[in-house]
Amino acid sequence: MSPPAGPIMGAMQDATGAVVSFENVTKRYPGSDSPAVDNLSLTVPAGEICVLVGPSGCGKTTSMKMVNRLIEPTSGRITIDGEDVMSLPAVELRRRIGYVIQQIGLFPHLTIGDNVAVVPKLLRWKDQRIRERVEELLEIVGLDPAAYAKRYPTELSGGERQRVGVARALAADPPVMLMDEPFGAVDPIRRDRLQNEFLRLQEKVRKTIVFVTHDVDEAIKMADRIAILQKGGILAQFDTPAAILANPASEFVERFVGADRGLKRLSLGRVGDLEMIEAITVRAGEDRTAIRARLDRVDELDYALLVDDQDRPLGWIDQQDLRGSGPINPEAASPGAPTVERETTLRDALSGMLGSSVQLGVVVDERERVLGLVSVDAIGERLRAPVRAADGGLHPVGEAAS
Amino acid sequence: MEFFGEVAAWFADPANWNGPDGIPARIGEHLVLSIVPLAAAVAVALPVGAWIGHTGRFSNLVINIANVGRAIPSLAILALAAMLLQRTIVDIGLRDSASEIVTMIALFFLAIPPILTNAYVGINEVDDQIVEAGRGMGMRDLEILRRVEIPVGLPVILVGVRTAAVQVVATATLGAVVATGGLGRYIIDGIAQRRFDEVFAGALIVAALSIATELGFSFIERRATSPGLRGRDTAPRELAQAGRPGGI
């Protein structure tokens, strides 16, 4: 075995993230007066998600594409673990950087398994190794290989395609991943799920991710660090979401982040930070008297939660449904409370809960099983308590913009 | 009705199934006359069309050449080829098959436009996002063409080949005008000798051969096209989480 050639190859071996660094990078398109990216310098620490965000024409996508040289910088340099990306042939470099684009870009003529296998095949892995890797990856992103490997992209929903896109980008275990509005093509509810899922995945794989979006809320939710770019490719601010919300560096940033900055800081907290209330879960056919007795033991709860045989929530059972005796009627359950996951931001959770009649959020795990409940009051509690922000200082989450 | 009886009798006559001007021999000649120029046209027009579709360069030139080519009637192409080339072919010592060569050259030019245009369009229409995904994953140009653009564009590309094939098989009949073999002989000779049962029988065989060509290529298209491109099952379904609620 020969030693790995350079850090990009070296980082491949242990499969964790690598430091991505922009050093005075400028991109000027021929025939254009102003640069698309102007003297950009920033460093993304290994294993972090750096979100590039800004209005259209701010050069966020251009900046991202310079990392894998789909666009080449006019001047300056980009390094991965200190190694200049220009030192490798472009195709070699790209095979070592995961890439997820907006419409996912799955190859329609290839099965899901073959889509995931594209980069391993380009790298000429052995068939056996490719098969094992494809299975492993589909499982990682929550798609059963037996059911999915032989299907074609048109047979999948937007959310499933998105997961295949992520699996494909992870195929060769690249230290760095580029994601260009990866959740842009899915509806808001599913987007929240996919974001949560991706954050859980990132906990495990710890890649260095350069993520492009135009959505500030997505940036706040996903980012370890946000780079806000403004027109002309100028870096307006590069910092943690908490620091940007607390101290916008300029009027542009303040305007871009929005007037509801105080409210947005709710996005810094997650449902997992809250104290959960234990849910009284019941299954169809349980005796009403017994349920009433269980419910009476808990002061703050007036509702029981009907779940299916997999512990997945079906709906609320209120006092009226519990009158009399005999088994509970499953049709009595009234739907209408949002399900949230531990990774859901407090802002999204609150927004969902305020819109429903029973102002409780049902916390579920990745298999949809009920973990507990959170209340609007708990979020209120959280707002009053100061949290330790990522910049090390103490900030009350709900503190008004100053 | 009497006429159709004569045609049936013509088909029933064993003499028409044997010898150098029997049906099997003529079909064989006709196929050789068709397959050679078609294969040559595919060999030239497919790579050129694919490359132009991939790079996007010279596309206007191709479209114009193809349109002009289509506008010229087949018989005119054949006459032109005969006038310009017959002498040269005879001069280089190929007198015996000069008619065949002239006809094949004419058919070659006839087959170029549909193959070229569809190869170009098929490749060019492949979604830019997919191509970009391939490039971003580290495919070289030829890999993008071979692994992505050609397979995705294949249905359109093959329609071009089918169109050309049917056209060539039908038009090869005209070769008889410049004295080739093939099924055209029945028609041209039949007209000259006022044997209309033979003319009609010849026309029937040409039609059948054209339809067989059409069906054969359609079959190949279906077999060669990935199931993922067949447009069935386009409705998105959530498989892993059937019935998964978005809220309760």
Side-chain angles (χ1 to χ4, degrees), chain A residues 22-35:
Chain A
F22 290 73
E23 295 166 21
N24 307 104
V25 175
T26 294
K27 176 65 189 180
R28 231 174 253 281
Y29 286 107
S32 167
D33 296 338
S34 57

Side-chain angles (χ1 to χ4, degrees), chain A residues 282 304-307 313-318 321 328-336, chain B residues 248:
Chain A
V282 301
L305 186 61
L306 186 72
V307 296
L314 296 170
W316 295 113
I317 302 286
D318 63 17
D321 303 322
I328 185 76
N329 181 4
E331 272 86 59
S334 55
Chain B
I248 59 166

